[in-house]
């Protein structure tokens, strides 16, 4: 996507925007619409998109909080997702990319989280939500929907310096040889409870962070502060999409 | 920093955990006297030696049990509640038939 193609809109006009939108405006963000939501496409007023991709490859932070996600809990949740053509990993604290491109995370034996993909190829989250509304009327099924769009924020920390930066905020060793692609840690990040998921964007290391949305501004500021020694900066969705698409 | 091993998440700093009190088997509410209920709810054994305790890994809200020596503060082992509890079988009254 080039700057000319972006449909620039004001976040206040959208049905749903990130709680961080004032911070994004301070960084001169350009927003793009995704369904009823807006997401930061780029921060290109001062730099070119290629500079932003360079930042993402080194040390970037992206707010994905308006992208779709959903969770399920209950003894039969894995079985139900299996019937919905998802592959559920055997081990807890494991993430697995699905054929449809969405990301399924097994948080415990009976709790699962599904994240949409950055290129919006998958409609899994909307389909699951609709099917859950239709199918889970009976308590005996023991599958309970956990709407995650408004309970958890979703950030992406990208770049080769990411694990070094995390060592300042998190006790879990997130270096590549200890925390491989698909690994998940439910732990304390900057004194805040968070789910950290390793999901690289091709060759660029990437960590998704899901945490209580009420602490999003605190976490955003903490991460930017910790990133400053690595010249880290906010990046938009467009830079991440370019990294996903690159060969 | 003390470390504790969570059965779900592995070895973590103790600051990630919340103590949940001594483990006692829950009395049968149909046959237990008021005195025994009060004993179960309000009183603790405060044993000097190995006890079983409830702990919660706060970031994942995962409750588990730990065997701990209260004299040496050594954690002997941690384990999931499955070892002590069987899964409840849910039984419902059949739904009344409705006429269209």
């Amino acid at each position: 996507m080039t700057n000319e193609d972006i449909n620039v809109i004001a976040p206040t006009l959208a049905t749903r925007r990130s709680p961080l939108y004032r911070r994004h405006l301070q960084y001169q963000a350009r927003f793009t619409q995704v369904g009823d939501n807006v997401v930061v496409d780029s921060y290109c007023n001062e730099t070119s998109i290629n500079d932003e991709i360079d930042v993402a490859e080194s040390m970037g932070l992206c707010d994905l909080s308006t992208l779709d996600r959903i969770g399920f809990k209950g003894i039969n949740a894995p079985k139900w997702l299996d019937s919905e053509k998802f592959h559920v990993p055997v081990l807890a604290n494991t993430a697995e990319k699905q054929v449809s491109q969405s990301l399924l995370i097994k948080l415990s034996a009976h709790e699962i989280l599904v994240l949409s993909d950055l290129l919006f190829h998958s409609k899994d989250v909307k389909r699951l939500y609709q099917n859950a509304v239709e199918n889970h009327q009976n308590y005996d099924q023991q599958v309970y929907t956990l709407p995650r769009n408004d309970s958890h924020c979703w950030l992406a920390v990208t770049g080769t310096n990411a694990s070094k930066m995390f060592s300042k905020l998190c006790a879990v060793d997130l270096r590549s040889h200890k925390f491989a692609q698909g690994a998940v840690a439910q732990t304390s990040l900057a004194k805040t409870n968070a789910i950290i998921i390793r999901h690289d964007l091709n060759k660029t290391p990437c960590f998704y962070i899901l945490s209580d949305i009420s602490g999003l501004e605190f976490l955003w500021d903490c991460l930017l502060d910790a990133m400053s020694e690595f010249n880290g900066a906010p990046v938009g969705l467009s830079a991440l999409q370019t990294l996903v698409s690159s060969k | 920093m003390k470390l504790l091993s969570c059965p779900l998440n592995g070895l973590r700093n103790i600051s990630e955990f919340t103590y949940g009190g001594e483990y006692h088997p829950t009395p049968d509410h149909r046959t237990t006297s008021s005195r025994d209920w009060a004993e179960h709810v309000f009183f603790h054994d405060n044993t000097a030696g190995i006890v079983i305790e409830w702990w919660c890994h706060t970031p994942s809200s995962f409750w588990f049990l730990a065997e701990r020596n209260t004299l040496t503060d050594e954690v002997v082992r941690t384990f999931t509640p499955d070892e002590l509890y069987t899964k409840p079988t849910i039984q419902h009254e059949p739904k009344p038939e409705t006429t269209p």
Side-chain angles (χ1 to χ4, degrees):
Chain A
M1 189 184 291
T2 64
N3 290 349
E4 290 72 29
D5 298 329
I6 299 167
N7 180 22
V8 180
I9 57 166
T12 48
L13 298 177
T15 308
R16 187 161 176 269
R17 58 186 177 266
S18 167
L20 285 175
Y21 80 94
R22 293 183 187 87
R23 295 257 201 307
H24 297 320
L25 288 171
Q26 284 172 2
Y27 279 92
Q28 298 175 309
R30 301 181 69 171
F31 293 84
T32 188
Q33 189 137 6
V34 179
D36 293 331
N37 309 331
V38 287
V39 62
V40 174
D41 186 83
S42 61
Y43 300 86
C44 282
N45 281 9
E46 293 182 321
T47 58
S48 72
I49 183 67
N50 286 334
D51 290 341
E52 199 162 310
I53 292 167
D54 289 344
V55 171
E57 286 177 329
S58 169
M59 183 79 267
L61 177 62
C62 186
D63 177 19
L64 304 172
S65 295
T66 47
L67 271 56
D68 283 336
R69 50 201 176 275
I70 194 167
F72 296 95
K73 198 168 191 175
I75 290 174
N76 287 329
K79 191 176 163 187
W80 181 71
L81 281 159
D82 196 50
S83 73
E84 291 286 329
K85 311 296 181 197
F86 282 81
H87 187 262
V88 181
V90 176
L91 294 176
N93 283 323
T94 309
E96 189 164 319
K97 190 176 175 183
Q98 302 295 303
V99 176
S100 60
Q101 302 300 309
S102 61
L103 186 67
L104 184 145
I105 300 113
K106 189 172 183 182
L107 295 172
S108 71
H110 305 132
E111 184 172 356
I112 283 162
L113 175 69
V114 179
L115 305 178
S116 54
D117 66 291
L118 300 184
L119 296 173
F120 311 114
H121 288 317
S122 163
K123 306 294 179 203
D124 282 343
V125 173
K126 283 190 168 57
R127 176 173 65 85
L128 283 173
Y129 183 77
Q130 189 63 38
N131 290 357
V133 168
E134 289 171 6
N135 299 337
H136 296 165
Q137 300 297 321
N138 190 344
Y139 181 66
D140 290 349
Q141 288 174 310
Q142 298 184 8
V143 183
Y144 311 102
T145 307
L146 304 172
R148 293 300 195 195
N149 278 354
D150 299 312
S151 66
H152 286 62
C153 65
W154 179 6
L155 302 174
V157 173
T158 66
T160 49
N161 291 313
S163 58
K164 288 181 193 166
M165 186 279 292
F166 276 122
S167 68
K168 301 200 292 182
L169 302 176
C170 177
V172 176
D173 190 347
L174 300 179
R175 288 176 295 172
S176 293
H177 63 287
K178 294 282 187 179
F179 197 76
Q181 169 85 336
V184 176
Q186 301 175 71
T187 186
S188 179
L189 177 69
K191 305 284 184 186
T192 303
N193 294 329
I195 303 166
I196 303 173
I197 304 151
R198 174 83 185 263
H199 185 61
D200 291 353
L201 311 173
N202 278 325
K203 291 175 183 171
T204 305
C206 176
F207 298 85
Y208 288 154
I209 299 168
L210 287 103
S211 184
D212 191 327
I213 202 161
S214 62
L216 175 55
E217 287 175 301
F218 165 80
L219 195 57
W220 177 266
D221 290 344
C222 281
L223 287 165
L224 279 182
D225 181 55
M227 288 163 59
S228 59
E229 75 169 278
F230 304 102
N231 299 317
V235 294
L237 179 63
S238 188
L240 270 56
Q241 287 175 327
T242 307
L243 291 174
V244 173
S245 308
S246 63
K247 297 294 180 186
Chain B
M1 179 76 78
K2 287 181 184 174
L3 300 173
L4 186 61
S5 181
C6 169
L8 175 64
N9 298 284
L11 205 61
R12 293 294 166 82
N13 288 342
I14 198 75
S15 58
E16 292 190 17
F17 296 91
T18 307
Y19 175 68
E22 292 174 357
Y23 164 78
H24 295 288
T26 311
D28 186 338
H29 65 91
R30 292 163 298 191
T31 56
T32 304
S33 67
S34 299
R35 184 182 178 83
D36 287 345
W37 261 118
E39 182 79 24
H40 175 69
V41 174
F42 297 112
F43 294 95
H44 304 285
D45 294 340
N46 200 23
T47 304
I50 291 179
V51 297
I52 300 178
E53 298 168 333
W54 283 106
W55 285 83
C56 179
H57 180 247
T58 318
S60 57
S61 301
F62 185 77
W63 283 96
F64 62 95
L65 294 139
E67 273 182 22
R68 186 172 70 92
N69 189 329
T70 55
L71 293 173
T72 61
D73 202 21
E74 177 197 6
V75 176
V76 180
R77 70 175 186 124
T78 55
F79 56 100
T80 61
D82 299 1
E83 285 192 28
L84 301 175
Y85 294 91
T86 53
K87 289 172 185 168
T89 51
I90 299 172
Q91 293 179 340
H92 296 290
E93 295 292 326
K95 289 179 181 172
E97 290 185 10
T98 54
T99 52

